[in-house]
Amino acid sequence: METWVLSRHDIAEIVAAVGRDDLMGRIIDRLAEGFAEIGRGARELSPLRDGFERTEPVRGIFEWMPHRDPGDSITLKTVGYSPGNPKHFGLPTIIGTVARYDDSTGALTALMDGVLLTALRTGAASAVASRLLARPDSRTLGLIGAGAQAVTQLHALSLVFPLERVLVWDTDPAHRDSFARRAAFTGIPVQCADPARIAAEADIITTATSVPTGGGPVLPDGPHREHLHINAVGADLIGKTELPLSLLRRAFVTADHPEQAHREGECQRLAPHQTGPGLTRLAAEPALAHERRGALTVFDSTGFAFEDALAMEVFLEAAAEHGLGSRLQIEHHPADTVDPYALEPLPVAAPARH
């Protein structure tokens, strides 16, 4: 059996062939549909992710995130979160791969990069939540954290709202000052602004930072628009949070994966009765979300493997459309299934002639 591999080159070719907007739009639509299916009971949430936390040589975590569609496939993302990567190694903060297996045989059927996929599906999830909870005429987006995730957050939200300006802040001046260049493809003007101004003027805010455990909040609980919606993306470790607890307690809070969010998201500081229905139920019953649009709302985005499985489907479909990817025989399937040494013989070299 062959494994369909999408290389770094294939991913670039997919983005070029499909276009950034269309690719992101497909993932937004696929996630909205998938969340609603979970909310209606037609599909199930992924299991909780797990992993290793390390402090040396670079602080971070390495996680595995599984999802199963019974009778079809199992998707497994392995992902490393290492905030020191850009500075120490010139690598992205988030590195990962996504693998798909046949649910009946366990055979590896597809393998691809998880760096771009993770950034796209995280932005798409915020777009789905914001489209449900934020005012449809939202025009000012605030970004706390101007790293890689901020680019796809802006991109996804720009496709579902009539954004006119972006206010951005990052504690790293290089990230803050380069964001306008990296986000120029959206065509939306970018201004640097401190967190207090962002809180006061934005209709929608996304927080996506590498704040250390116990280092938050990154957004002040000060004056804000009555209808403010916040996508809290950066809380992904026990003890790591970005929002003030006083703000959370005043807000209507929904989570992508409630159990996981109460363990390691913003919701880890809230009791279950202090949060609203999960995002999947809101996607299935939009009226529950729309009635909250005039007040403060928070989407606690921890990310789960179902999102990765859906985003992978979009990439594989695009690869099929454009004839991309390679078929490799990665797994050893012996000729005699009960003899692991039944290897395919190597070609015998012809004897040399003298």
Side-chain angles (χ1 to χ4, degrees), residues 4-7 11 14 96-100 110-117 308 311-313 315-316:
W4 191 5
V5 179
L6 301 187
S7 69
I11 299 298
I14 288 171
T97 54
V98 187
R100 175 156 293 177
L111 181 67
M112 65 172 289
D113 160 67
V115 176
L116 179 61
L117 178 147
D308 301 303
M312 187 182 200
E313 287 177 3
F315 271 96
L316 292 175

Side-chain angles (χ1 to χ4, degrees), residues 40-336:
R40 292 191 292 266
R43 301 179 80 168
E44 295 184 1
L45 280 173
S46 308
L48 293 173
R49 63 191 176 204
D50 204 351
F52 303 113
E53 187 170 354
R54 52 170 156 66
T55 57
E56 297 295 342
V58 179
R59 183 179 66 85
I61 55 175
F62 188 85
E63 297 178 319
W64 44 93
M65 302 171 62
H67 179 76
R68 181 184 181 218
D69 283 312
D72 181 56
S73 63
I74 294 170
T75 302
L76 178 64
K77 184 169 81 169
T78 53
V79 57
Y81 166 72
S82 306
N85 268 0
K87 178 180 178 180
H88 296 291
F89 305 113
L91 295 171
T93 297
I94 296 174
I95 294 180
T97 54
V98 187
R100 175 156 293 177
Y101 301 86
D102 182 87
D103 186 51
S104 298
T105 66
L108 177 65
T109 59
L111 181 67
M112 65 172 289
D113 160 67
V115 176
L116 179 61
L117 178 147
T118 299
L120 289 173
R121 64 78 152 153
T122 306
S126 289
V128 173
S130 300
R131 190 162 57 184
L132 287 165
L133 291 165
R135 280 178 41 160
D137 61 348
S138 295
R139 286 176 165 76
T140 299
L141 171 65
L143 295 172
I144 307 292
Q149 291 288 336
V151 176
T152 48
Q153 289 288 316
L154 168 56
H155 185 204
L157 291 165
S158 74
L159 297 181
V160 296
F161 291 97
L163 298 180
E164 295 178 350
R165 63 171 178 160
V166 182
L167 305 177
V168 63
W169 174 258
D170 197 295
T171 56
D172 186 330
H175 288 177
R176 186 172 67 237
D177 296 341
S178 69
F179 184 75
R181 171 183 57 79
R182 290 180 280 124
F185 71 94
T186 66
I188 300 172
V190 174
Q191 301 174 30
C192 291
D194 62 63
R197 181 185 168 197
I198 291 174
E201 298 183 16
D203 300 299
I204 300 170
I205 295 174
T206 290
T207 58
T209 71
S210 295
V211 64
T213 300
V218 300
L219 182 72
D221 186 4
H224 60 78
R225 294 188 171 181
E226 185 178 5
H227 58 266
L228 174 63
H229 171 70
I230 301 172
N231 299 303
V233 174
D236 49 15
L237 287 169
I238 296 173
K240 179 188 176 188
T241 58
E242 297 179 316
L243 302 184
L245 181 56
S246 55
L247 182 150
L248 276 177
R249 286 175 171 165
R250 294 199 322 275
F252 171 82
V253 181
T254 187
D256 52 359
H257 194 301
E259 183 181 0
Q260 184 168 276
H262 279 284
R263 186 182 73 173
E264 58 192 64
E266 294 293 334
C267 291
Q268 64 188 279
R269 295 174 292 162
L270 299 176
H273 73 271
Q274 293 177 298
T275 61
L279 179 61
T280 57
R281 184 178 172 194
L282 298 184
E285 303 177 56
L288 294 177
H290 295 169
E291 65 187 21
R292 301 283 182 170
R293 282 178 172 170
L296 178 64
T297 56
V298 171
F299 167 46
D300 190 358
S301 173
T302 59
F304 61 109
F306 180 63
E307 299 169 346
D308 301 303
L310 296 181
M312 187 182 200
E313 287 177 3
V314 171
F315 271 96
L316 292 175
E317 289 167 6
E321 290 171 12
H322 298 280
L324 296 169
S326 302
R327 305 281 182 170
L328 302 180
Q329 292 186 336
I330 295 176
E331 296 176 332
H332 168 47
H333 299 158
D336 182 343

